[in-house]
Amino acid sequence: MKILVVRLSSIGDVVHTTPMVASLIEAGHEVAWAVEPPASPLVGSIKGLSQMFVLPKASAYDWNDRFRLARTLRDFNPEVAIDAQGLWKSAFWTWLSGAPRRIGWMADHRREASSSVMLTETVECLPEDVHVIDQHHALLVGLGIDDRGSRDFPFVLPDDAVAMATAFRESVGNPLALIAPGGGWENKLYPPESWGEVAQGLASMQLAPVVLWGPGEEALADAVVQASGGTTKRAPETSVLELAALARASRLFLGADTGPLHIAGAMGAPLVAVFGPTDPARNGPWSKDDEVVRKIPACAPCHKRSCDTHQDIMRKILPAAVVEAATRRIASSIDRDAA
């Protein structure tokens, strides 16, 4: 069966959608994925994916472009289209694909509830479908696939990204501890001065703390380096796939509820996740060995980008608590450098 998955953004959510796509591929379906440019390198690296449609962001094209791209989707001739995002834009592309079966979450489980009118079948998540990965798996139950609990991320990283990560790990000497201070909306991020203190603690554990950064985050990374008193350094500029390769090569990965953290989890890196307004049971690490450090605001779980209640909640998480979690995670992990 030809199946189109529509999950356009963001990178972390694309990671969370991947096990569902892996289940479709494993079941023998011909699967295509519609995605926006930022996450397309990850999607393009999925083993067994039949096709990828890179759709520009809504602000980047007009209606003529939309219908031209819709013809491209229709040429794939999907029998089923799955809206794995729950927004008007994703439901719209699901409808434009021409698929006779269009599956997505019911209105109560969608960020834009009324967009469910563009679907032919809606799915209600069960109470036990807590993690967003399992909520995606629930979309397949009507197709006879129930892989809830599966965490398969069949990303195949290019050789040049792997070689870059290997060379960088060898250059730093001590086992690599990656810190991702950015990558999400501000109220979910841990302050750079706090990350600086964490980096000092990591260095005292004979780890090599390195700060990752993305486009426009150079100043943020430099602020962490300065706050660390020189115990950490800024990573070189990396692509999404190079970041994934670095995560795979690391002994420890630390970050908030952002795309880089979820990429690292998919790569099997030991994690220390710093959470505030969002719920780690839904969005957090899925390995029982990973550590979560959290301050819970009164509004939790809250996905508002601007909220007076959780405005400064991340500043209340003590760096010492993060270092203690890192110590526990190192103790519970295998020696990745020797693996």
Side-chain angles (χ1 to χ4, degrees):
M1 184 185 298
K2 286 188 171 185
I3 299 177
L4 173 68
V5 173
V6 181
R7 175 77 227 194
L8 303 169
S9 59
S10 58
I11 287 177
D13 292 322
V14 165
V15 171
H16 289 148
T17 307
T18 300
M20 180 195 78
V21 172
S23 293
L24 288 170
I25 294 170
E26 179 66 23
H29 297 293
E30 184 178 349
V31 184
W33 190 324
V35 65
E36 291 176 354
S40 61
L42 274 177
V43 171
S45 72
I46 295 174
K47 182 179 180 181
L49 190 70
S50 297
Q51 201 165 344
M52 177 175 65
F53 299 104
V54 181
L55 305 180
K57 292 184 177 182
S59 59
Y61 53 96
D62 59 22
W63 280 99
N64 289 332
D65 292 321
R66 294 178 190 225
F67 286 110
R68 176 179 56 80
L69 290 164
R71 286 194 295 271
T72 302
L73 295 181
R74 286 173 180 262
D75 286 343
F76 178 65
N77 196 27
E79 298 162 74
V80 176
I82 299 174
D83 174 10
Q85 191 154 6
L87 300 177
W88 271 108
K89 67 176 183 178
S90 56
F92 182 68
W93 284 114
T94 303
W95 174 73
L96 282 179
S97 73
R101 293 182 69 183
R102 300 185 298 278
I103 302 171
W105 294 297
M106 64 184 298
D108 289 348
H109 295 295
R110 302 173 70 82
R111 285 183 59 191
E112 295 177 351
S114 57
S115 63
S116 63
V117 300
M118 291 192 152
L119 306 174
T120 62
E121 302 172 36
T122 57
V123 173
E124 180 179 8
C125 294
L126 299 176
E128 58 264 32
D129 298 332
V130 177
H131 201 281
V132 67
I133 294 176
D134 293 318
Q135 292 174 14
H136 282 93
H137 277 307
L139 295 173
L140 305 186
V141 172
L143 299 176
I145 303 171
D146 190 349
D147 278 351
R148 283 172 286 194
S150 172
R151 302 290 187 266
D152 187 15
F153 300 92
F155 297 116
V156 179
L157 301 182
D159 290 343
D160 57 347
V162 174
M164 174 268 180
T166 301
F168 184 78
R169 180 184 64 181
E170 292 173 351
S171 73
V172 299
N174 287 337
L176 189 59
L178 297 175
I179 297 172
W185 37 283
E186 185 176 356
N187 285 350
K188 292 195 298 183
L189 300 184
Y190 199 42
E193 58 270 22
S194 298
W195 279 128
E197 290 187 48
V198 170
Q200 293 178 41
L202 297 175
S204 71
M205 297 161 58
Q206 304 306 308
L207 296 170
V210 172
V211 183
L212 296 167
W213 55 280
E217 294 177 346
E218 295 91 336
L220 174 62
D222 287 341
V224 176
V225 172
Q226 183 176 5
S228 77
T231 58
T232 185
K233 67 177 182 178
R234 197 171 84 175
E237 183 176 7
T238 57
S239 67
V240 170
L241 295 180
E242 287 170 338
L243 184 152
L246 281 172
R248 183 174 288 175
S250 68
R251 178 69 186 274
L252 188 68
F253 194 104
L254 304 93
D257 179 15
T258 64
L261 180 82
H262 303 311
I263 290 174
M267 295 297 115
L271 303 181
V272 174
V274 186
F275 269 68
T278 54
D279 183 2
R282 180 186 185 275
N283 298 89
W286 45 90
S287 170
K288 62 180 178 59
D289 295 322
D290 287 332
E291 293 279 341
V292 175
V293 185
R294 189 187 187 198
K295 282 290 185 182
I296 305 176
C299 59
C302 183
H303 294 268
K304 295 179 180 179
R305 289 177 178 264
S306 178
C307 174
D308 291 340
T309 302
H310 70 240
Q311 178 68 35
D312 294 315
I313 195 68
M314 300 297 283
R315 295 185 178 276
K316 297 180 180 179
I317 299 174
L318 298 178
V322 179
V323 174
E324 289 172 5
T327 302
R328 292 192 299 269
R329 188 62 184 97
I330 288 292
S332 67
S333 68
I334 64 170
D335 188 342
R336 295 176 58 85
D337 292 318

